[in-house]
Amino acid sequence: MVSRMDFSGDDSSQVSVDTFVDIVVVGSGAGALTSAIYAADQGMSVLVVEKSDKYGGTSAISGGGIWIPNNDHFRKKGGNDSFEKAMTYLNAATAGKVAASRLKAYLDNAPEMVRYLEENTRVRYAVAEKYPDYYPDLPGALAGGRTLDPELYDTSELGEELKNLRAASPTTLLMGKIAWTARDAHKVIAKESGWRLLILWLMLRYKLDFRWRKKSGFRRDRRTALGNSLIASLRRSLMDRDVPLWLNTEFQDFIIDNGRVVGVKVFSNGNTRTVHARKGVIMASGGFEQNQALRDQYLPQPTKVEWSATPAGQNTGAALTAGQSIGAATDLLDWAWWSPTMRVPKEDKARGLFAERAFPGAIIVNGEGKRFVNEAEPYLECGHAMYRDNEKTGGKSIPAWVIFDSHFRFNYAMGPLMPGQIMPDSRLPSLWNKTLYWKAESLEGLAAEIGVDEDGLKETVDRVNQFASTGDDKDFQRGGNIFDRYYGDQNVTPNPCLAPVKKGPFYAMRIEAGDIGTKGGLLTNENAQVVREDGSVIEGLYAIGNASASVMGTSYPGAGSTIGPAMTFGFIAVKSLVKQPAAVTVNRPVEAEEMA
């Protein structure tokens, strides 16, 4: 038995026979791999199929954090959390839009899922004690402790499989190449005590490991972090169990027998192959954000594939359309995990703006030159605000513009622009000028460059500069809660998220109403089973992650509210599948040649 099958070659004999397993998992993100590992440990035969030539999906380029209320790590450090507090918070955040049974299933199983992985696999997490819930004013919110951050992982343990790992996004790496945890990144971003020494240590560690990079042929850091670390450790754990992962294998459709899903048809190397599943199928294939037709059909306008920060061409809604064709109910199809994004020339996907919006001295304006949002608020809310204001202004908020001055440029990053003290304008690619950033000696000149109302921009900047002197943003309360201040500069007073915009030259960067995935999908119950409109279960079919309608509804309760539920409901799905009777029509042993 092998741990990976790549059908990119020319051996058509690979597709000449059907394959029989207990469970088929479609997708290779964190939820998919968690499902496969747990299923294998329950004694079931499992096959993972992945459309891309790389494994890891969107999880591999993400922050990798998971939002796990009442987790063991926080409790061991003296944290005060409980099921009751978390349920109070989730009820307030989701505003009654999610079934109580699903919320309860999540809170009951999430801590157990993490405990299982850490005790039985190579996955390791640490608690982000200072990372607050995203809605700190809601009842039950905590000032930190519910988000878990992946520890660094040594990718040399993957051997040849390292080349098949989807590379981390440059936005998650120090200087685009050095791995660091979210805890380290926060220390540097907030300029906490010792941040300069931390950067020097990380750079030194990377430099001293040049022999491995030369030997392996990889320029990347041997260590990986965040979502890439999570996927690498899960993949190694899958290899430990000899669970096969087929790359370049695209899901096409379900196999149905008497109304039950009993397998899938997949396409690879010009051939269709049938994979029968005795127990069931877990769809973990992502959302539909990379499908322009589905975006046009369901999401608010305007909307473009190019604005998404997810891997290009991958999440095209296969689970959604196949599920709808057999009567599956859906929910939240008009929502995404919104995030302002910017396009970088020659990159195949957009970059999300996550922490930078909170840095003091940068503001976001619409075409009228006016602010319309608390720039430091969670990215879901910030992206949603772009749509609200775009409707209000008649189309003047998409795109919007990030505006900052030379003081900000010298001290802080914005998207791919590293601080000017590290990356001065003279070192920026010439292609970026007037495509990624615009620059002028005056606000009037900048407004003319980007087509924004001059008087509106000047009035907005004057008003923000007044707020910066008092620390009180009277328009949007930026920096007014613990979440806003998490990424603020602690050396800036009286408000770490507010600074004047007054020293030329001035800069602008264009942002779009992007996303890190769609929120809507197949509706599931508390067991991750896909249901019909009448609530009845489609036997044999499960959906997790962005293939399913989010258990978080239209909210984003805390960092890791995407991957945490994907992994947890993958864990829950296997618990349910273990109890399911095998489909009679596909109840025969796996032949060795079918898995070899």
Side-chain angles (χ1 to χ4, degrees), residues 80-396:
N80 183 16
D81 197 7
S82 67
F83 175 95
E84 291 74 22
K85 286 182 181 179
M87 182 60 85
T88 297
Y89 178 63
L90 271 185
N91 279 330
T94 57
K97 297 178 181 178
V98 178
S101 58
R102 293 180 70 202
L103 297 178
K104 183 178 185 301
Y106 180 63
L107 295 180
D108 280 340
N109 286 275
E112 181 187 353
M113 179 274 297
V114 177
R115 190 179 310 123
Y116 184 86
L117 288 180
E118 294 200 310
E119 290 176 355
N120 296 278
T121 76
R122 299 175 187 245
V123 173
R124 297 293 181 270
Y125 272 100
V127 64
E129 296 177 78
K130 298 180 180 180
Y131 209 148
D133 289 337
Y134 283 1
Y135 310 124
D137 296 330
L138 291 184
L142 292 188
R146 285 175 173 162
T147 293
L148 299 177
D149 176 30
E151 297 281 30
L152 295 177
Y153 185 77
D154 185 345
T155 59
S156 66
E157 294 185 358
L158 288 171
E160 288 298 308
E161 273 297 87
L162 176 56
K163 69 178 183 295
N164 298 312
L165 170 66
R166 184 172 296 282
S169 169
T171 62
T172 65
L173 301 169
L174 175 62
M175 302 179 71
K177 60 185 178 182
I178 301 172
W180 56 350
T181 67
R183 306 179 311 283
D184 287 342
H186 172 256
K187 183 172 184 174
V188 171
I189 288 170
K191 292 184 168 59
E192 294 179 346
S193 177
W195 70 273
R196 287 187 176 88
L197 287 176
L198 175 60
I199 287 181
L200 290 174
W201 157 242
L202 293 171
M203 293 174 64
L204 181 63
R205 187 192 67 193
Y206 176 82
K207 289 287 186 183
L208 292 177
D209 202 24
F210 70 93
R211 284 192 178 90
W212 178 83
R213 292 197 300 280
K214 182 177 181 180
K215 179 181 177 181
S216 66
F218 290 102
R219 293 187 59 202
R220 69 181 73 171
D221 196 336
R222 175 205 296 257
R223 297 158 191 83
T224 191
L226 308 177
N228 218 240
S229 169
L230 174 60
I231 291 299
S233 56
L234 285 169
R235 180 69 185 105
R236 179 64 249 189
S237 300
L238 202 70
M239 293 164 65
D240 292 339
R241 291 157 173 79
D242 288 326
V243 173
L245 166 59
W246 292 355
L247 298 177
N248 295 300
T249 304
E250 183 174 3
F251 166 83
Q252 284 190 316
D253 205 354
F254 298 119
I255 303 170
I256 309 295
D257 182 49
N258 292 321
R260 175 175 176 169
V261 174
V262 294
V264 297
K265 291 181 179 179
V266 296
F267 184 78
S268 183
N269 194 32
N271 295 278
T272 298
R273 182 172 182 136
T274 302
V275 182
H276 299 279
R278 298 188 193 88
K279 292 280 191 175
V281 174
I282 300 176
M283 295 301 293
S285 52
F288 61 85
E289 68 277 0
Q290 291 293 324
N291 185 321
Q292 187 61 49
L294 291 179
R295 293 183 75 103
D296 290 340
Q297 182 176 355
Y298 294 117
L299 296 181
Q301 299 297 313
T303 183
K304 289 187 178 181
V305 163
E306 292 79 10
W307 298 348
S308 181
T310 63
Q314 297 308 307
N315 302 328
T316 53
L320 174 64
T321 54
Q324 287 175 317
S325 72
I326 60 173
T330 59
D331 196 18
L332 301 174
L333 295 183
D334 57 344
W335 272 82
W337 298 96
W338 306 118
S339 173
T341 58
M342 58 178 55
R343 295 285 295 164
V344 180
K346 295 188 176 181
E347 291 191 4
D348 65 351
K349 59 180 179 294
R351 295 200 189 192
L353 285 185
F354 304 116
E356 304 98 314
R357 294 174 292 104
F359 300 167
I363 59 173
I364 295 177
V365 302
N366 59 23
E368 297 175 345
K370 298 178 180 178
R371 292 174 72 211
F372 57 89
V373 68
N374 168 9
E375 293 90 346
E377 71 181 0
Y379 37 92
L380 177 85
E381 275 65 38
C382 189
H384 188 47
M386 292 180 71
Y387 277 109
R388 288 199 311 270
D389 198 64
N390 200 59
E391 184 175 356
K392 177 182 175 183
T393 60
K396 295 182 179 179

Side-chain angles (χ1 to χ4, degrees), residues 6 19-20 104-105 151 191 204-205 244 316 325 401 407 448 498 516 539 569:
D6 184 342
T19 297
F20 291 79
K104 183 178 185 301
E151 297 281 30
K191 292 184 168 59
L204 181 63
R205 187 192 67 193
T316 53
S325 72
W401 298 88
H407 177 80
L498 284 176
I516 55 173
E539 297 292 341
F569 279 99

Side-chain angles (χ1 to χ4, degrees), residues 358-363 371 375 464 466-474 477-479 488-489 492-500:
F359 300 167
I363 59 173
R371 292 174 72 211
E375 293 90 346
V464 167
Q466 293 174 27
F467 297 158
S469 65
T470 64
D472 182 12
D473 177 2
K474 295 185 181 299
Q477 294 74 53
R478 176 174 174 177
D489 185 341
V492 173
T493 58
N495 186 328
C497 300
L498 284 176

